[in-house]
Amino acid sequence: MNHLFGSPARILATAIVSLLLVVGMTLAILSLSSVEHLASGSAQQTVLVECEFDKFRQIMVRKNATAAIVSQSGMRLIDESVEDLQVDTSQDDRPLLNAIRGRSKTEVQAVKKLRVSLNDPHIEADELTLRQRANVQPESVHVVTESIAAAANLESYRTTLDARRKGSQTEVSVSVGLEVRVTVPKAFTGRADREVQQSAVDAVDEQAKSLQRFVAEHAGERFILPELGNGSR
């Protein structure tokens, strides 16, 4: 007996093919529809700085190292202000003499508010406000710089610096983490993540290089004199 639309097997096969085509087209449309996506990236790098730790510590405290710390691809320091500064000399029996000798045991804790300009193709904001907290101890330097609030599509930004003695050198670890909110086709969210991750990698690499250049500028100086007006001691 002949069926009007062919054999049952052919009808079933045609139905399955049609269904697969519909499902495929639906998935294609969904993958191209725009979605809001929070892309994140983070990177960390450790370098050896050709400078003995005590002198490195002096440079970080007495010179304005802020520009070197925040300096990275697409970021430039516009303005800074000191919100808090605490100096503890209780562990140093000769604070003035030891400071001159470059063997200070003084502890310094400082909080700064920073304003920076941005020039990153993945970030819509032109400026960003940050808060920087520095904790300088006789055997370590720890600095955290992070965004106070979101700016345009930049949800958060954070960078850290940790320094410690390493023989006649100073070991410094720097890290960068950021979150960027983007609207992209669903199929491209992975690409957005990769681009933001690359921004973090580039930023931490430039930050490490900027810090090394900054320290090298002063490492050869016999006396590290404070810069006037930078709030350092």
Side-chain angles (χ1 to χ4, degrees):
M1 180 178 178
N2 292 329
H3 291 272
L4 181 61
F5 298 104
S7 67
R10 177 172 292 183
I11 294 173
L12 180 60
T14 302
I16 292 174
V17 170
S18 298
L19 179 61
L20 290 175
L21 287 173
V22 171
V23 171
M25 291 177 63
T26 302
L27 291 175
I29 293 172
L30 289 175
S31 67
L32 292 176
S33 60
S34 294
V35 296
E36 190 176 79
H37 176 67
L38 187 63
S40 61
S42 61
Q44 188 268 344
Q45 187 175 144
T46 299
V47 295
L48 284 177
V49 179
E50 293 296 329
C51 181
E52 197 272 330
F53 178 78
D54 288 325
K55 176 160 283 190
F56 175 90
R57 182 181 184 275
Q58 277 190 310
I59 293 171
M60 296 298 290
V61 173
R62 299 184 181 184
K63 300 297 181 179
N64 193 344
T66 299
I69 293 173
V70 303
S71 177
Q72 59 171 287
S73 179
M75 186 174 286
R76 181 179 59 84
L77 180 67
I78 298 175
D79 184 48
E80 63 176 308
S81 59
V82 177
E83 294 186 329
D84 186 40
L85 177 63
Q86 298 180 27
V87 180
D88 183 3
T89 61
S90 61
Q91 302 300 316
D92 202 335
D93 54 350
R94 298 178 177 179
L96 182 58
L97 177 61
N98 286 335
I100 295 174
R101 294 169 57 200
R103 295 292 182 268
S104 177
K105 298 178 182 178
T106 299
E107 299 177 2
V108 180
Q109 295 185 1
V111 180
K112 286 183 178 182
K113 188 175 182 179
L114 315 174
R115 189 163 57 92
V116 299
S117 67
L118 304 172
N119 184 23
D120 190 305
H122 307 122
I123 299 174
E124 297 172 0
D126 295 324
E127 291 186 7
L128 180 65
T129 303
L130 307 159
R131 180 162 286 114
Q132 183 181 86
R133 292 179 172 86
N135 184 7
V136 182
Q137 301 291 325
E139 295 297 326
S140 66
V141 174
H142 178 64
V143 183
V144 177
T145 306
E146 53 193 341
S147 54
I148 294 176
N153 68 332
L154 181 60
E155 287 291 312
S156 67
Y157 172 84
R158 188 176 192 268
T159 180
T160 66
L161 180 150
D162 287 285
R164 62 203 65 82
R165 193 185 309 277
K166 188 76 170 180
S168 61
Q169 300 172 306
T170 300
E171 183 179 81
V172 182
S173 296
V174 291
S175 71
V176 169
L178 67 158
E179 293 181 320
V180 182
R181 191 170 296 280
V182 295
T183 301
V184 294
K186 190 174 182 179
F188 294 164
T189 55
R191 178 178 177 181
D193 287 330
R194 289 191 295 272
E195 289 180 347
V196 174
Q197 174 62 26
Q198 188 59 51
S199 291
V201 171
D202 292 342
V204 82
D205 184 60
E206 182 58 33
Q207 192 174 87
K209 291 177 181 177
S210 296
L211 181 65
Q212 287 178 307
R213 287 193 295 265
F214 173 77
V215 173
E217 289 178 7
H218 305 286
E221 298 175 14
R222 185 175 180 183
F223 296 106
I224 308 299
L225 301 177
E227 288 186 0
L228 220 53
N230 70 342
S232 61
R233 293 175 65 121

